[in-house]
Amino acid sequence: MGTLPRLTIVLPTCSPRLGLLRTAPIPLLALVEKAVHALLTQPDPIGTEILVMETHPAGGVERHLGSVFGQEMYSGKLRVQRTHRALGYSEAIREGASVAQGAFLSIHDCLDLWLPGYLQALGPLLDHYDLIVSSHDHPGVSGDWLQAFLLENWALPSSTVVRRTLYEEVGGFPKPSIPFLVNLDYEFILLCLTTLAQKKSVNRTQSHPLDRFILMNSQYIQLGEGKNPLLEINPAWETQLKWTGKRIYSMGETLSLLLSAGNFPIRYWPLLARRLLKGHVR
């Protein structure tokens, strides 16, 4: 690419939503190819770099994507970062961020698709926000996006877009500490929000740093959970996918929220309490 990209999409070739299936013979290459194709075939007014992070040394990802998207790889629009050791989801994101060129980073699960129009909708927001997240329960116009997020919204996978400076300020993507119990994407969003919450405006005329967070509508993200080739290989895996994708992730979101509660301003504590009391199974 002639100029540096503004946004780097980090796309690991493994998914935490596969949970216990991570070691099974899963055709993730087909999923990665589909996710990359969805990104490359939509208008890109931002200047985007797609960084596919290989998570297994014998994955053959670079060779496969090169045979399909050779022109994009030659131009630098699409890059594949090879690995000489097995990487987990969190490790892959952290390593991807360390070699990313964009001023913004996006975390993309290979099970999901960015639908046409997403990059166009995202572009104008990058000038005004440090953290952008999508949700099914979009509240419409909100004067306090954090309040709207804590009140009803649950973050969608593959929807987190963060300014690189904020990413570095929170110490990067979190490392897993409690296997299968913490949704790392959600934990990362909370880390970013608590970091913004602890900042102060430089002067009275400047808006509060929490105003640098916004929720987007989920219309541009197609979740692949329960709708992917895994079920065509072994339908019995559907129960495991639902279990790891729904119950455990909801427990992880609740746990992450509980651990982060004390870092939010006092005015948000009633909302946090209400959110926690609503329970984790949806």
Side-chain angles (χ1 to χ4, degrees):
M1 299 176 71
T3 58
L4 289 178
R6 194 175 185 199
L7 170 68
T8 295
I9 300 170
V10 181
L11 199 160
T13 58
C14 66
S15 170
R17 280 146 62 202
L18 300 183
L20 302 174
L21 305 177
R22 225 177 261 178
T23 57
I26 300 170
L28 288 182
L29 281 180
L31 299 175
V32 173
E33 178 187 333
K34 191 174 180 181
V36 170
H37 180 267
L39 293 169
L40 290 173
T41 53
Q42 62 178 282
D44 178 14
I46 298 174
T48 301
E49 168 192 43
I50 304 166
L51 180 58
V52 176
M53 297 299 298
E54 197 171 54
T55 55
H56 194 280
V61 178
E62 185 175 34
R63 181 173 63 254
H64 177 76
L65 293 183
S67 67
V68 181
F69 308 110
Q71 183 177 345
E72 290 80 4
M73 289 188 68
Y74 179 78
S75 69
K77 173 82 171 178
L78 171 64
R79 289 199 291 150
V80 177
Q81 189 75 9
R82 301 182 64 184
T83 181
H84 299 291
R85 60 187 178 88
L87 297 176
Y89 181 72
S90 176
E91 278 186 298
I93 291 171
R94 292 175 70 91
E95 291 202 8
S98 69
V99 298
Q101 301 180 79
F104 284 84
L105 301 173
S106 175
I107 299 165
H108 196 313
D109 191 308
C110 66
L111 296 183
D112 305 325
L113 301 177
W114 281 17
L115 300 179
Y118 187 32
L119 290 174
Q120 288 175 304
L122 194 60
L125 300 180
L126 299 183
D127 290 330
H128 306 287
Y129 298 100
D130 293 343
L131 179 64
I132 303 166
V133 176
S134 295
S135 169
H136 278 315
D137 304 315
H138 193 270
V141 178
S142 174
D144 189 335
W145 290 105
L146 177 56
Q147 176 177 307
F149 179 71
L150 294 176
L151 187 63
E152 293 293 344
N153 287 273
W154 300 89
L156 262 65
S158 299
S159 74
T160 304
V161 177
V162 60
R163 193 181 297 272
R164 177 187 286 277
T165 51
L166 178 58
Y167 175 89
E168 293 171 350
E169 196 170 347
V170 302
F173 197 76
K175 299 176 182 178
S177 54
I178 308 175
F180 303 117
L181 282 182
V182 176
N183 178 340
L184 293 176
D185 291 85
Y186 191 77
E187 184 178 353
F188 176 66
I189 292 168
L190 289 175
L191 283 171
C192 291
L193 287 173
T194 55
T195 298
L196 291 174
Q198 292 168 32
K199 289 184 175 183
K200 295 182 180 179
S201 302
V202 176
N203 54 58
R204 292 182 180 179
T205 61
Q206 187 185 52
S207 61
H208 191 279
L210 275 172
D211 293 336
R212 306 286 294 180
F213 164 64
I214 190 172
L215 287 171
M216 281 186 71
N217 196 292
S218 63
Q219 63 181 324
Y220 296 112
I221 295 181
Q222 179 179 313
L223 297 184
E225 186 175 79
K227 301 176 183 177
N228 58 65
L230 301 176
L231 303 184
E232 297 175 10
I233 298 171
N234 186 350
W237 284 352
E238 184 172 5
T239 301
Q240 281 185 303
L241 279 172
K242 286 182 177 178
W243 186 64
T244 57
K246 297 289 185 183
R247 281 183 169 269
I248 287 190
Y249 267 62
S250 300
M251 288 172 62
E253 289 166 348
T254 304
L255 180 59
S256 296
L257 197 60
L258 181 62
L259 294 174
S260 301
N263 294 322
F264 286 102
I266 293 176
R267 70 178 183 275
Y268 294 110
W269 287 4
L271 294 174
L272 288 162
R274 180 179 180 274
R275 179 76 168 262
L276 293 168
L277 289 172
K278 286 180 70 175
H280 58 260
V281 178
R282 305 191 301 283

